[in-house]
Amino acid sequence: MQTALTRTSMGIGTRNPAKSVNAIMNTDTTQKKSDKGLQFSLKLHNDADTAVVIVNPLDLLRISVFDAAWKEIQFPYRGRRQGHDREWTNNTFVVNHIKINGRATDVNTFIKDYYITLPGNSKVEIFMGITKVVKPGAVMPLTVEQMITVPSGIYKVDLVCALMEGQSSVILHMPLVNIHYK
């Protein structure tokens, strides 16, 4: 069952108050265990007639995952700003594909761009997955051997995305969602 978990509307941009970007997190609340891991997407919708240029939302994204007992599940998320030459080298958190107005776009180009243009009345959806998590009891520095596939269980996923346009910004916080991963 695909569930739109949250629709958060916040205006961004002080020069044109009609500009509005909405964020929606989508996920299947019951997912079959697979090598794709926990799957979800972030959809940004520009309701305005004019384009909005924002900092790439992948630069300003925070994802937290908790188990059923509220213990945080660690996964080595490495943001794009921490990488060299804007290369996406993280294989524990993946961007599977991206759609702009329902059409697939090149993931690598989107990932490398500092700014994203949301044309007027457009939608961008970023499909993501967490494929590996840190073994319980692992110690720093983390090694590949300390990573495991996501075990079966009930997970709570918390997504926070900041949107920045020029000097204006807004924090969009999607409430926790339970994912039954079996």
PDB file of all heavy atoms in Angstrom, residues 46 50-57 100 110 113-120 122-124:
ATOM      1  N   ASN A  46       6.198  22.104  -6.947  1.00  0.00           N
ATOM      2  CA  ASN A  46       6.150  23.557  -7.044  1.00  0.00           C
ATOM      3  C   ASN A  46       4.758  23.945  -7.537  1.00  0.00           C
ATOM      4  O   ASN A  46       4.427  23.740  -8.705  1.00  0.00           O
ATOM      5  CB  ASN A  46       7.233  24.065  -8.011  1.00  0.00           C
ATOM      6  CG  ASN A  46       7.195  25.572  -8.177  1.00  0.00           C
ATOM      7  OD1 ASN A  46       6.486  26.269  -7.456  1.00  0.00           O
ATOM      8  ND2 ASN A  46       7.958  26.073  -9.118  1.00  0.00           N
ATOM      9  N   THR A  50       5.667  29.992 -11.687  1.00  0.00           N
ATOM     10  CA  THR A  50       7.038  30.332 -12.052  1.00  0.00           C
ATOM     11  C   THR A  50       8.023  29.351 -11.426  1.00  0.00           C
ATOM     12  O   THR A  50       7.721  28.713 -10.420  1.00  0.00           O
ATOM     13  CB  THR A  50       7.391  31.760 -11.591  1.00  0.00           C
ATOM     14  OG1 THR A  50       7.176  31.846 -10.180  1.00  0.00           O
ATOM     15  CG2 THR A  50       6.519  32.792 -12.290  1.00  0.00           C
ATOM     16  N   ALA A  51       9.186  29.266 -12.012  1.00  0.00           N
ATOM     17  CA  ALA A  51      10.221  28.346 -11.541  1.00  0.00           C
ATOM     18  C   ALA A  51      10.785  28.793 -10.201  1.00  0.00           C
ATOM     19  O   ALA A  51      10.796  29.982  -9.877  1.00  0.00           O
ATOM     20  CB  ALA A  51      11.340  28.256 -12.570  1.00  0.00           C
ATOM     21  N   VAL A  52      11.249  27.822  -9.427  1.00  0.00           N
ATOM     22  CA  VAL A  52      11.933  28.060  -8.168  1.00  0.00           C
ATOM     23  C   VAL A  52      13.281  27.350  -8.264  1.00  0.00           C
ATOM     24  O   VAL A  52      13.341  26.180  -8.648  1.00  0.00           O
ATOM     25  CB  VAL A  52      11.127  27.500  -6.974  1.00  0.00           C
ATOM     26  CG1 VAL A  52      11.892  27.662  -5.678  1.00  0.00           C
ATOM     27  CG2 VAL A  52       9.766  28.157  -6.881  1.00  0.00           C
ATOM     28  N   VAL A  53      14.347  28.054  -7.941  1.00  0.00           N
ATOM     29  CA  VAL A  53      15.681  27.457  -7.935  1.00  0.00           C
ATOM     30  C   VAL A  53      16.083  27.259  -6.478  1.00  0.00           C
ATOM     31  O   VAL A  53      16.157  28.222  -5.712  1.00  0.00           O
ATOM     32  CB  VAL A  53      16.705  28.359  -8.660  1.00  0.00           C
ATOM     33  CG1 VAL A  53      18.094  27.728  -8.606  1.00  0.00           C
ATOM     34  CG2 VAL A  53      16.271  28.599 -10.107  1.00  0.00           C
ATOM     35  N   ILE A  54      16.324  25.999  -6.114  1.00  0.00           N
ATOM     36  CA  ILE A  54      16.654  25.672  -4.722  1.00  0.00           C
ATOM     37  C   ILE A  54      17.987  24.927  -4.673  1.00  0.00           C
ATOM     38  O   ILE A  54      18.417  24.337  -5.660  1.00  0.00           O
ATOM     39  CB  ILE A  54      15.556  24.812  -4.053  1.00  0.00           C
ATOM     40  CG1 ILE A  54      15.361  23.486  -4.796  1.00  0.00           C
ATOM     41  CG2 ILE A  54      14.253  25.585  -3.947  1.00  0.00           C
ATOM     42  CD1 ILE A  54      14.437  22.504  -4.104  1.00  0.00           C
ATOM     43  N   VAL A  55      18.624  24.958  -3.504  1.00  0.00           N
ATOM     44  CA  VAL A  55      19.805  24.133  -3.271  1.00  0.00           C
ATOM     45  C   VAL A  55      19.353  22.674  -3.369  1.00  0.00           C
ATOM     46  O   VAL A  55      18.255  22.315  -2.943  1.00  0.00           O
ATOM     47  CB  VAL A  55      20.406  24.436  -1.881  1.00  0.00           C
ATOM     48  CG1 VAL A  55      21.507  23.451  -1.530  1.00  0.00           C
ATOM     49  CG2 VAL A  55      20.921  25.864  -1.829  1.00  0.00           C
ATOM     50  N   ASN A  56      20.179  21.837  -3.972  1.00  0.00           N
ATOM     51  CA  ASN A  56      19.838  20.435  -4.149  1.00  0.00           C
ATOM     52  C   ASN A  56      19.349  19.852  -2.819  1.00  0.00           C
ATOM     53  O   ASN A  56      20.072  19.894  -1.822  1.00  0.00           O
ATOM     54  CB  ASN A  56      21.065  19.665  -4.644  1.00  0.00           C
ATOM     55  CG  ASN A  56      20.724  18.266  -5.097  1.00  0.00           C
ATOM     56  OD1 ASN A  56      19.936  17.572  -4.478  1.00  0.00           O
ATOM     57  ND2 ASN A  56      21.329  17.850  -6.193  1.00  0.00           N
ATOM     58  N   PRO A  57      18.128  19.318  -2.774  1.00  0.00           N
ATOM     59  CA  PRO A  57      17.582  18.817  -1.504  1.00  0.00           C
ATOM     60  C   PRO A  57      18.387  17.667  -0.917  1.00  0.00           C
ATOM     61  O   PRO A  57      18.343  17.437   0.290  1.00  0.00           O
ATOM     62  CB  PRO A  57      16.161  18.382  -1.864  1.00  0.00           C
ATOM     63  CG  PRO A  57      16.122  18.284  -3.340  1.00  0.00           C
ATOM     64  CD  PRO A  57      17.179  19.193  -3.872  1.00  0.00           C
ATOM     65  N   ILE A 100      10.994  13.678 -12.965  1.00  0.00           N
ATOM     66  CA  ILE A 100      10.549  15.067 -13.046  1.00  0.00           C
ATOM     67  C   ILE A 100       9.294  15.056 -13.902  1.00  0.00           C
ATOM     68  O   ILE A 100       9.332  14.639 -15.067  1.00  0.00           O
ATOM     69  CB  ILE A 100      11.630  15.987 -13.645  1.00  0.00           C
ATOM     70  CG1 ILE A 100      12.880  15.978 -12.738  1.00  0.00           C
ATOM     71  CG2 ILE A 100      11.090  17.406 -13.821  1.00  0.00           C
ATOM     72  CD1 ILE A 100      14.040  16.774 -13.260  1.00  0.00           C
ATOM     73  N   PHE A 110      21.534  14.865 -11.652  1.00  0.00           N
ATOM     74  CA  PHE A 110      20.770  15.464 -10.562  1.00  0.00           C
ATOM     75  C   PHE A 110      21.601  15.506  -9.290  1.00  0.00           C
ATOM     76  O   PHE A 110      21.650  16.510  -8.591  1.00  0.00           O
ATOM     77  CB  PHE A 110      19.479  14.670 -10.331  1.00  0.00           C
ATOM     78  CG  PHE A 110      18.545  15.288  -9.330  1.00  0.00           C
ATOM     79  CD1 PHE A 110      17.518  16.121  -9.757  1.00  0.00           C
ATOM     80  CD2 PHE A 110      18.674  15.042  -7.972  1.00  0.00           C
ATOM     81  CE1 PHE A 110      16.647  16.700  -8.838  1.00  0.00           C
ATOM     82  CE2 PHE A 110      17.813  15.607  -7.050  1.00  0.00           C
ATOM     83  CZ  PHE A 110      16.796  16.439  -7.488  1.00  0.00           C
ATOM     84  N   ASP A 113      24.392  18.280  -9.323  1.00  0.00           N
ATOM     85  CA  ASP A 113      23.992  19.685  -9.407  1.00  0.00           C
ATOM     86  C   ASP A 113      23.908  20.322  -8.024  1.00  0.00           C
ATOM     87  O   ASP A 113      23.316  19.748  -7.107  1.00  0.00           O
ATOM     88  CB  ASP A 113      22.638  19.834 -10.105  1.00  0.00           C
ATOM     89  CG  ASP A 113      22.718  19.590 -11.600  1.00  0.00           C
ATOM     90  OD1 ASP A 113      23.839  19.657 -12.158  1.00  0.00           O
ATOM     91  OD2 ASP A 113      21.666  19.337 -12.201  1.00  0.00           O
ATOM     92  N   TYR A 114      24.477  21.522  -7.884  1.00  0.00           N
ATOM     93  CA  TYR A 114      24.358  22.277  -6.630  1.00  0.00           C
ATOM     94  C   TYR A 114      22.942  22.827  -6.465  1.00  0.00           C
ATOM     95  O   TYR A 114      22.420  22.872  -5.362  1.00  0.00           O
ATOM     96  CB  TYR A 114      25.329  23.461  -6.601  1.00  0.00           C
ATOM     97  CG  TYR A 114      26.734  23.081  -6.239  1.00  0.00           C
ATOM     98  CD1 TYR A 114      27.711  22.976  -7.215  1.00  0.00           C
ATOM     99  CD2 TYR A 114      27.094  22.828  -4.919  1.00  0.00           C
ATOM    100  CE1 TYR A 114      29.010  22.633  -6.883  1.00  0.00           C
ATOM    101  CE2 TYR A 114      28.378  22.484  -4.580  1.00  0.00           C
ATOM    102  CZ  TYR A 114      29.337  22.389  -5.574  1.00  0.00           C
ATOM    103  OH  TYR A 114      30.623  22.037  -5.248  1.00  0.00           O
ATOM    104  N   TYR A 115      22.355  23.253  -7.569  1.00  0.00           N
ATOM    105  CA  TYR A 115      21.024  23.858  -7.539  1.00  0.00           C
ATOM    106  C   TYR A 115      20.093  23.062  -8.436  1.00  0.00           C
ATOM    107  O   TYR A 115      20.498  22.540  -9.473  1.00  0.00           O
ATOM    108  CB  TYR A 115      21.066  25.319  -8.018  1.00  0.00           C
ATOM    109  CG  TYR A 115      21.922  26.184  -7.137  1.00  0.00           C
ATOM    110  CD1 TYR A 115      23.233  26.494  -7.499  1.00  0.00           C
ATOM    111  CD2 TYR A 115      21.436  26.677  -5.936  1.00  0.00           C
ATOM    112  CE1 TYR A 115      24.030  27.274  -6.673  1.00  0.00           C
ATOM    113  CE2 TYR A 115      22.226  27.453  -5.104  1.00  0.00           C
ATOM    114  CZ  TYR A 115      23.519  27.747  -5.479  1.00  0.00           C
ATOM    115  OH  TYR A 115      24.308  28.509  -4.653  1.00  0.00           O
ATOM    116  N   ILE A 116      18.857  23.000  -8.027  1.00  0.00           N
ATOM    117  CA  ILE A 116      17.819  22.305  -8.777  1.00  0.00           C
ATOM    118  C   ILE A 116      16.756  23.327  -9.142  1.00  0.00           C
ATOM    119  O   ILE A 116      16.293  24.083  -8.280  1.00  0.00           O
ATOM    120  CB  ILE A 116      17.180  21.173  -7.928  1.00  0.00           C
ATOM    121  CG1 ILE A 116      18.238  20.195  -7.445  1.00  0.00           C
ATOM    122  CG2 ILE A 116      16.066  20.487  -8.686  1.00  0.00           C
ATOM    123  CD1 ILE A 116      19.019  19.496  -8.523  1.00  0.00           C
ATOM    124  N   THR A 117      16.374  23.343 -10.393  1.00  0.00           N
ATOM    125  CA  THR A 117      15.289  24.220 -10.830  1.00  0.00           C
ATOM    126  C   THR A 117      14.001  23.415 -10.857  1.00  0.00           C
ATOM    127  O   THR A 117      13.914  22.387 -11.536  1.00  0.00           O
ATOM    128  CB  THR A 117      15.578  24.794 -12.229  1.00  0.00           C
ATOM    129  OG1 THR A 117      16.790  25.538 -12.172  1.00  0.00           O
ATOM    130  CG2 THR A 117      14.440  25.694 -12.694  1.00  0.00           C
ATOM    131  N   LEU A 118      13.028  23.877 -10.089  1.00  0.00           N
ATOM    132  CA  LEU A 118      11.693  23.287 -10.124  1.00  0.00           C
ATOM    133  C   LEU A 118      10.843  24.187 -11.012  1.00  0.00           C
ATOM    134  O   LEU A 118      10.434  25.266 -10.592  1.00  0.00           O
ATOM    135  CB  LEU A 118      11.081  23.226  -8.721  1.00  0.00           C
ATOM    136  CG  LEU A 118      11.811  22.390  -7.675  1.00  0.00           C
ATOM    137  CD1 LEU A 118      11.170  22.572  -6.309  1.00  0.00           C
ATOM    138  CD2 LEU A 118      11.809  20.937  -8.077  1.00  0.00           C
ATOM    139  N   PRO A 119      10.593  23.770 -12.256  1.00  0.00           N
ATOM    140  CA  PRO A 119       9.769  24.603 -13.128  1.00  0.00           C
ATOM    141  C   PRO A 119       8.394  24.836 -12.504  1.00  0.00           C
ATOM    142  O   PRO A 119       7.965  24.101 -11.613  1.00  0.00           O
ATOM    143  CB  PRO A 119       9.654  23.765 -14.409  1.00  0.00           C
ATOM    144  CG  PRO A 119      10.807  22.811 -14.358  1.00  0.00           C
ATOM    145  CD  PRO A 119      11.028  22.540 -12.894  1.00  0.00           C
ATOM    146  N   GLY A 120       7.706  25.857 -12.976  1.00  0.00           N
ATOM    147  CA  GLY A 120       6.364  26.138 -12.474  1.00  0.00           C
ATOM    148  C   GLY A 120       5.456  24.932 -12.652  1.00  0.00           C
ATOM    149  O   GLY A 120       5.533  24.219 -13.651  1.00  0.00           O
ATOM    150  N   SER A 122       5.434  21.955 -11.329  1.00  0.00           N
ATOM    151  CA  SER A 122       6.158  20.712 -11.613  1.00  0.00           C
ATOM    152  C   SER A 122       6.330  19.882 -10.350  1.00  0.00           C
ATOM    153  O   SER A 122       6.154  20.367  -9.238  1.00  0.00           O
ATOM    154  CB  SER A 122       7.531  21.018 -12.212  1.00  0.00           C
ATOM    155  OG  SER A 122       8.359  21.635 -11.238  1.00  0.00           O
ATOM    156  N   LYS A 123       6.688  18.624 -10.568  1.00  0.00           N
ATOM    157  CA  LYS A 123       6.938  17.688  -9.473  1.00  0.00           C
ATOM    158  C   LYS A 123       8.267  16.993  -9.726  1.00  0.00           C
ATOM    159  O   LYS A 123       8.550  16.563 -10.834  1.00  0.00           O
ATOM    160  CB  LYS A 123       5.846  16.632  -9.391  1.00  0.00           C
ATOM    161  CG  LYS A 123       4.494  17.193  -9.031  1.00  0.00           C
ATOM    162  CD  LYS A 123       3.437  16.122  -9.048  1.00  0.00           C
ATOM    163  CE  LYS A 123       2.083  16.773  -8.813  1.00  0.00           C
ATOM    164  NZ  LYS A 123       0.975  15.894  -9.079  1.00  0.00           N
ATOM    165  N   VAL A 124       9.069  16.891  -8.675  1.00  0.00           N
ATOM    166  CA  VAL A 124      10.305  16.112  -8.704  1.00  0.00           C
ATOM    167  C   VAL A 124      10.177  15.069  -7.608  1.00  0.00           C
ATOM    168  O   VAL A 124       9.864  15.402  -6.465  1.00  0.00           O
ATOM    169  CB  VAL A 124      11.541  17.010  -8.450  1.00  0.00           C
ATOM    170  CG1 VAL A 124      12.790  16.165  -8.294  1.00  0.00           C
ATOM    171  CG2 VAL A 124      11.709  18.023  -9.561  1.00  0.00           C
TER     172      VAL A 124
END
